[in-house]
Amino acid sequence: MPHLESDAVEAGRLYRTTGAIASHKLRSPVYRAWERSHLQGANPLALQAEQLSRRDTEHLLQRNNYLIDVVRPYFRMLSQAAGQERHAIMLGDRQAILLDVIGDEQTVNGPEPFPQPGSLLSEAVAGANGIGTPLAEENYVEIISAEHFIEGFQPFICQGIPLRNDKQEIVGVLSISLRRADARKRLKEILRCASHAIEAEFAIANLETDVHRVLASQPDEYEPLEELRQDLIQVHQAARLKLEVISRMVAVNRWEYAAQLLKQAEQSIEIFRRRAHIWRNLASLETGSVQSLPLIESINDVIEILSTEVAIRKIEIVANWKEEITVLADPQTLLRNILRCFFQAFELAGQNGTIELSINKVQNAQFAQVNFMASSAINIDHSQLTPYSLCLSIAKTKL
């Protein structure tokens, strides 16, 4: 028996006989989980999870229908990655009530009891476990065999990670339970990547809402924002396809290739997150407070989300600046103004054209003027460059 597991077994024996939690025999997150479980009255001798009534479970599933639908494709990928291992993939709501579970037939529907939708898996009821503890810790947590607080869960090794919406609010928890210890490492990174991809799904749904809002109030700006949204969704779809391939590779132990794809998928999701944040600012109808902003960073943010548009038009963007300048502006208004200047310059530059960007300080450096100089591929006379420009107040102090 591994040292960590034997310590947890001994900690469990001491707790059941004396009521004391042996902190030196438990990993820090597990000790905290046991302490919470103890204080909230969880029963360490329980053999299975408590369950809502059938009617309450039906109502619960109806209320969480959207969350279940979003997560279901990733359930299939994770189960596929587990391959022939005995496993269960679980989704819980933010109160740690089980919403969905899939896995191999023997684990989920075999003779030994396994939590089903409606099971109460908060630490207060079920002790430390792969659903309740990640929610309590608000982070990824692994609970290995005897580290489970109640006896009924101890045959399993469970990993769980909270799911957050784009406001960083926890809306649920995703978890994998396995029987064999050596299988958990290869599934850990896929679980993390899948959770981030699910969170990107939440962001996509909100982007759709934003598009309708922009269309209703600012129809002139709808088309370019919709094109940027489609670019974003393609980035996410690329990551999702990689996850699908990864799950097949892991199932047949082609881990080296899967690890390469996993890295690419994680990078795609990170790109999506960053671009989605910029997109939300562009699509926002609100005006924020004026604040000190890094001008070049703001311009680069817009260039980043225009990368697909730039590639399609085969436009070259040339930036001429040496140092960051801090300006006073409302973030949403600044980004939208930069975007408008880019699209105006795109039209003048045309296919294979060039846009030269420069920043000039004017009037004793109280203002910064950003110039977008567009030249078409057939116009090589720089005296004919057509400028668009923004004039912004420079902040007195650097960020």
Side-chain angles (χ1 to χ4, degrees):
M1 182 181 293
H3 179 66
L4 182 148
E5 189 173 345
S6 63
D7 276 356
V9 170
E10 177 62 11
R13 187 190 68 76
L14 287 172
Y15 178 72
R16 287 188 291 276
T17 54
T18 68
I21 301 175
S23 60
H24 61 289
K25 290 188 174 296
L26 296 170
R27 295 183 294 130
S28 295
V30 178
Y31 170 70
R32 291 195 296 270
W34 279 38
E35 199 168 46
R36 288 191 297 266
S37 304
H38 169 74
L39 292 173
Q40 293 176 94
N43 175 12
L45 300 177
L47 297 177
Q48 61 186 27
E50 295 180 24
Q51 179 88 24
L52 292 178
S53 69
R54 176 178 291 186
R55 183 176 181 181
D56 287 344
T57 300
E58 289 174 354
H59 289 162
L60 174 78
L61 300 183
Q62 287 173 0
R63 286 199 306 273
N64 290 277
N65 186 49
Y66 170 73
L67 178 61
I68 294 169
D69 285 346
V70 169
V71 172
R72 186 58 68 84
Y74 299 93
F75 255 42
R76 185 180 57 77
M77 292 178 198
L78 291 169
S79 183
Q80 189 167 263
Q84 299 303 312
E85 298 289 342
R86 290 192 57 185
H87 69 279
I89 316 297
M90 292 182 286
L91 169 67
D93 73 358
R94 59 187 176 185
Q95 278 79 42
I97 305 175
L98 193 60
L99 299 174
D100 202 2
V101 56
I102 66 169
D104 65 280
E105 182 65 20
Q106 191 175 2
T107 297
V108 176
N109 298 313
E112 298 178 10
F114 194 86
Q116 298 297 315
S119 293
L120 308 178
L121 297 177
S122 69
E123 289 183 337
V125 181
N129 69 86
I131 294 284
T133 300
L135 287 171
E137 290 278 315
E138 298 187 353
N139 206 344
Y140 167 86
V141 175
E142 182 180 54
I143 305 290
I144 301 172
S145 301
E147 291 180 337
H148 285 93
F149 190 74
I150 70 171
E151 291 184 355
F153 293 166
Q154 292 184 358
F156 297 98
I157 297 157
C158 299
Q159 303 172 60
I161 187 166
L163 299 173
R164 300 174 189 270
N165 61 21
D166 58 348
K167 296 178 182 176
Q168 293 303 298
E169 299 165 335
I170 293 175
V171 296
V173 55
L174 187 64
S175 176
I176 294 178
S177 292
L178 297 159
R179 287 275 185 164
R180 285 202 316 139
D182 56 351
R184 73 181 198 271
K185 292 182 180 176
R186 61 190 171 90
L187 291 174
K188 175 180 176 180
E189 297 307 318
I190 301 176
L191 175 69
R192 284 180 177 272
C193 195
S195 71
H196 296 323
I198 291 167
E199 290 169 352
E201 299 276 1
F202 300 148
I204 287 173
N206 286 332
L207 295 182
E208 181 75 32
T209 304
D210 291 341
V211 161
H212 289 299
R213 200 176 64 234
V214 171
L215 180 59
S217 61
Q218 299 182 18
D220 293 343
E221 296 193 346
Y222 163 74
E223 188 171 348
L225 287 176
E226 171 60 15
E227 289 175 356
L228 294 177
R229 189 182 74 93
Q230 291 298 332
D231 291 345
L232 268 175
I233 292 174
Q234 287 182 17
V235 171
H236 178 261
Q237 288 299 326
R240 183 167 166 174
L241 284 173
K242 287 188 179 77
L243 268 175
E244 176 69 41
V245 176
I246 290 164
S247 67
R248 295 180 197 151
M249 295 297 101
V250 171
V252 295
N253 292 319
R254 292 181 61 186
W255 178 242
E256 187 174 344
Y257 179 50
Q260 294 174 16
L261 284 178
L262 186 61
K263 189 174 181 180
Q264 294 174 18
E266 288 173 335
Q267 288 172 344
S268 295
I269 293 170
E270 185 55 36
I271 290 171
F272 176 90
R273 281 177 163 174
R274 177 171 169 72
R275 292 185 182 178
H277 176 71
I278 299 168
W279 193 97
R280 294 298 298 274
N281 276 330
L282 284 168
S284 172
L285 302 181
E286 300 173 357
T287 52
S289 58
V290 173
Q291 53 190 278
S292 297
L293 298 170
L295 177 57
I296 295 174
E297 184 179 313
S298 299
I299 295 172
N300 285 333
D301 282 346
V302 178
I303 291 175
E304 182 177 336
I305 67 166
L306 287 172
S307 58
T308 302
E309 188 72 20
V310 168
I312 291 172
R313 294 174 182 257
K314 297 180 180 177
I315 287 176
E316 181 183 12
I317 295 178
V318 181
N320 295 313
W321 46 59
K322 296 180 180 177
E323 60 177 341
E324 180 62 275
I325 294 177
T326 306
V327 297
L328 294 172
D330 152 43
Q332 289 92 345
T333 301
L334 176 61
L335 287 176
R336 283 199 292 269
N337 286 337
I338 293 171
L339 182 70
R340 286 193 193 100
C341 284
F342 265 118
F343 275 111
Q344 289 168 337
F346 283 169
E347 293 306 314
L348 285 173
Q351 196 83 357
N352 297 309
T354 301
I355 297 173
E356 294 184 26
L357 299 177
S358 63
I359 301 176
N360 298 321
K361 294 181 180 178
V362 295
Q363 292 187 7
N364 298 323
Q366 293 181 28
F367 299 96
Q369 181 171 306
V370 188
N371 296 313
F372 298 73
M373 310 288 284
S375 61
S376 70
I378 57 175
N379 176 17
I380 58 175
D381 181 358
H382 280 227
S383 65
Q384 299 299 315
L385 295 178
T386 306
Y388 290 97
S389 64
L390 293 173
C391 194
L392 301 154
S393 298
I394 295 178
K396 292 182 179 178
T397 56
K398 294 184 177 180
L399 292 178

